[in-house]
Structures are given as C-alpha cells and as structure tokens.
Amino acid sequence: MSSASPRPSRPSSTSPASSSSPSAAGTPGPALLALPAGAPDIPPSADPLVPLGWDESWRQTWADLLADAPTGAVPGRVARSGRGRCDVLVATHDGAVSVAPDDGVVTVTAAWAPALERAVAADPVQVPAAGDWVVVVPVAGARTGAVERVLPRRTAVVRAQVARGSSYGQVLAANADVVAVAEGMAPDVDLARIERLLALAWSSGAEPYVVLTKADLPAEPDVLAAEVAEVAPGAPVLAVSALTGAGLEPLRDRLRGGATVALVGASGAGKSTLLNALVGGDVMSTRALRVDGKGRHTTVTRELHLVPGGGAVLDTPGLRTIGLAGEEALDDVFAEIEDLASRCRFADCAHRTEPGCAVLAAVEDGTLPQRRLDSHRKLLRELEHQAARVDSRLRAELTGRARVQQRAYRRYPLRP
Ligand SMILES: Nc1nc2c(ncn2[C@@H]2O[C@H](COP(=O)(O)OP(=O)(O)OP(=O)(O)O)[C@@H](O)[C@H]2O)c(=O)[nH]1
Ligand SMILES: [Mg+2]
Ligand SMILES: [Zn+2]
C-alpha cells in the first residue's frame, strides 16, 4: 500500500457532544460508581443496556476483552462523537446509584484514553463513531471518564472520502441493524438518490429500508410507494407520516426488539422529525441544532438516541455528497438487472449493442425502465472512477468487514 493511509473520520462541524447534551458533565446527576471489571453479575434481562442493543453476542465479545480491560471498565455505547472525546451511554447499575434517570442509562462525557489515541493512530477505523460499543472507564461520582477502545463493529455506514491524495472512510453510523433511507414524498421523490443511498445502506451490512416521509402530503402515497418499491428490490418500503403517525409501526416493531435504526438521507427529508416521532419527544429541538434562514432545524451531528420501550435511533445530518465504494452493493440495489444479465448471451455483455442481450431486450419490451439502466451505469462508472483513486486499504475497510455480517441479514438467498 502507498504511504497515503486513511485518515480518521472528522467529527461534524460543531463542538462535540458535551456542550450539546443536557446530561453532560457539570450538571448534577446521580453518582456513578466505577465497578471492577467482570462485576457486577447482572442478570441479562435486567441489564439496562439490553434495550440499547446489548445482546448475548456483545456480552460474549465483552467477556473476551475483559482480561485486557483496565480496572473499572464497563461497556458503553457512543451517542455522539467528537475529536478526542465522546458522549457514551452507560448503565448506572441499580443499587450503585441513588436514582437512575433514563431507564438506568446515563451519559458520560469521556475523553480518549492514551490506549485509544494509539489505536487510532495505528488504525483510523478505531475512531469511535455514533453507535459504537466501547470500553469505557467512568470516574466514580462524576459523569466523566475515559474511552479505552472500540468493540469490533457488526455493521458500518461508511462514506468514502478522498482528499488531497489520501482516502479515508468516514463512519456515519456504527452497529445499525436497519439503515433507513429517508426520502420525502413531497415536493417530489428522487429515485436516483434513493438508489444511491441504498447502495450505501447495502454495503453497511445492515438491513436496508426505504422510509418515504411526509406521506400526509401527496394525493396518492400508495401509488408513489409502489413506484419506489420498483427501484428497491429486497428492501421494505414504508410510507410514513411523522405528523399523523401513519406507517410507523414496522419501525416501532424493530425498535421494541432492541434494534438500532440509522436514518440517512438528504437535508430536509424529515429524518429528525421522524426521530422525534419515534422517540416520542422533541429530542432534536434542544441539542445539536442550527436554525437556518428558513427557520428549519438542520442537524449537524450524528446522534444516537435511546427509544423509551427499547431500541435506538441514529440521526445523521443531511448528505450532500455520498461517496460510494464497493461494486457489490450495486448488485443488491439493481438485483433485477443482475438477474437479467445472467441471461445475456455473452458472459461479459456490457448491455450496449451486443446481440442476445437480455437487459436491452427488457428495456425494449418495457419491463426494465431505461432510467433504471441509466442509473445503474452512472453509479457503476462512478465506482470505477473512484476505485482508481481509493486505495486498497480503504476498499477493504468499506467492503470487507461489513460483507461478512451482511450475509446474515439478507432477505433473499444469494445468487450463485
Ligand atoms: N407534512 C409533513 N412535514 C414533515 C414531515 N416530516 C418532516 N416534515 C417537515 O420537513 C422539514 C424537514 O424536516 P427535518 O426533520 O428537519 O429534516 P432532516 O432530514 O432532519 O433535515 P437535516 O437535519 O437538514 O438533514 C420540516 O419542516 C418538517 O416539519 C411529515 O411527516 N409531514
Ligand atoms: Mg435533521
Ligand atoms: Zn447484456
């Protein structure tokens, strides 16, 4: 590999976590007791981290790490991340504290420990991102502490970034079970944008959803949703309204099961409004908000929120550019084109002028929209162009880790 190694992902433009969190350090709260590693012996069902997604598999990972963990280490989940520190949700552990707010989970503002600084320097992927599970050592009696390391991710929404000759991946959301591509039904639906975001979602290793917001606005939301379903093979398409609450049940179901739903989409798609509807409050009106000239709140940080009743929602700022990497994801996004291509006469058919091309035949007889083929070509070209610039290290990071996990999430059997 060249000397150009991936750089750590940058935090978003504003100050980190601590200043935006009402429960951050400095405010009076319940005392935190740093517990010795390995203790206490909380029955899994009573662990307040369970609604946050802490499951048997994470517990196992934790047990494996414990030998190397410093005294007092506890597991925590990153809610917000900034350069050098992050807000981490940890269990208050009943009995150890007086009164536990937020269902036994409290926010600790933790600085990177020297061990993490070293790990990040050696491997920039180790930068804690919103949604990451981390090893944290809270300071007894204070809502501060130190983050020691990041637990290996199950899934990651990673945006490829290329700057000044070096490439790096920016983790937009870690350990999401569902990556929901949010797109407003009004003023209009942008199919190409949905396809592009779906590629990002598929390559994360999580389960992709399309969530069409503002379903209260168009005259025929069902017709629109059916149109979108055509471009989203393998992904559930939901038409929802945060205003009326319509269509939210499938997401609520997933959350009740302890799932983490990450919201990605353009600015103004309605992600934060959806977050508020799911969390049942106005969580985004008091933190990490900027009111622009039009009086609209624009999210500027990636934030994980615990949902009362279980699960977590990870809100992200609107994406203006979406760097893609990993051609494999396009096979999922354009699954029907892949199927057709397997029936072309030539194995290396480019679907342009070749005789016996099943893809062109489908366009000819109207079963495959020309727009869909054009969109596929455009994203493919973009990926090929990018592949020349993105180094192999990043490619592995973007495609390798997540793909292993993805198999478990696939809704359809793999094509041979
Ligand atoms: N009618 C209607 N309007 C909605 C709905 N959801 C969101 N909106 C409106 O859409 C606008 C944008 O919503 P936001 O939630 O701020 O969008 P966002 O995706 O978080 O935007 P960024 O933070 O900039 O990425 C706001 O004016 C919302 O009131 C809905 O279900 N129905
Ligand atoms: Mg927002
Ligand atoms: Zn062909």
Side-chain angles (χ1 to χ4, degrees), residues 21-313:
S21 165
S23 58
T27 50
L32 255 190
L33 184 68
L35 297 151
D41 214 0
I42 302 166
S45 59
D47 192 332
L49 293 183
V50 167
L52 204 49
W54 188 249
D55 59 18
E56 200 41 53
S57 162
W58 285 119
R59 228 186 301 278
Q60 191 54 52
T61 306
W62 177 256
D64 295 343
L65 289 176
L66 219 51
D68 298 328
T71 309
V74 297
R77 194 159 191 203
V78 176
R80 283 166 291 273
S81 185
R83 178 83 208 169
R85 63 176 175 172
C86 33
D87 277 5
V88 184
L89 301 168
V90 300
T92 49
H93 295 311
D94 282 350
V97 293
S98 45
V99 186
D102 303 336
D103 305 320
V105 173
V106 72
T107 307
V108 165
T109 300
W112 295 4
L116 181 60
E117 292 275 4
R118 283 194 299 275
V120 169
D123 180 6
V125 174
Q126 292 304 312
V127 172
D132 266 325
W133 285 100
V134 293
V135 177
V136 58
V137 183
V139 172
R143 289 191 174 184
T144 58
V147 190
E148 294 288 333
R149 61 168 291 183
V150 175
L151 270 59
R153 295 176 182 124
R154 285 186 192 170
T155 73
V157 179
V158 183
R159 170 165 54 164
Q161 307 231 292
V162 180
R164 275 177 262 122
S166 80
S167 55
Y168 62 101
Q170 186 183 40
V171 179
L172 303 180
N175 300 316
D177 300 289
V178 170
V179 173
V181 170
E183 175 77 9
M185 284 192 137
D188 54 6
V189 164
D190 185 335
L191 297 179
R193 179 162 58 207
I194 292 173
E195 287 164 337
R196 176 178 288 268
L197 285 164
L198 275 172
L200 193 72
W202 277 109
S203 51
S204 74
E207 208 180 313
Y209 274 47
V210 178
V211 176
L212 297 169
T213 61
K214 314 185 192 183
D216 51 284
L217 293 177
E220 293 183 307
D222 294 346
V223 175
L224 209 48
E227 204 179 305
V228 171
E230 292 281 309
V231 309
V237 177
L238 311 177
V240 311
S241 168
L243 210 64
T244 67
L248 294 176
E249 210 43 46
L251 288 176
R252 290 199 197 282
D253 271 351
R254 292 304 307 270
L255 290 167
R256 269 192 292 269
T260 296
V261 177
L263 306 174
V264 298
S267 185
K271 299 178 296 297
S272 299
T273 310
L274 181 59
L275 163 76
N276 286 336
L278 292 169
V279 171
D282 207 9
V283 288
M284 287 307 286
S285 66
T286 52
R287 49 173 81 163
L289 290 180
R290 171 170 66 77
V291 181
D292 69 13
K294 298 170 199 129
R296 183 163 55 76
H297 298 295
T298 295
T299 308
V300 292
T301 54
R302 297 179 283 275
E303 295 201 11
L304 181 88
H305 294 270
L306 178 57
V307 178
V313 177

Side-chain angles (χ1 to χ4, degrees), residues 337 340 351 357-374 377:
I337 296 181
L340 286 166
H351 325 307
C357 173
V359 174
L360 293 176
V363 172
E364 192 65 29
D365 70 19
T367 46
L368 178 68
Q370 180 69 46
R371 188 209 65 77
R372 184 83 168 145
L373 182 57
D374 293 344
R377 279 187 184 145

Side-chain angles (χ1 to χ4, degrees), residues 337 340-361:
I337 296 181
L340 286 166
S342 68
R343 278 178 260 144
C344 292
R345 185 179 305 163
F346 302 109
D348 61 348
C349 185
H351 325 307
R352 293 193 180 273
T353 55
E354 292 88 342
C357 173
V359 174
L360 293 176

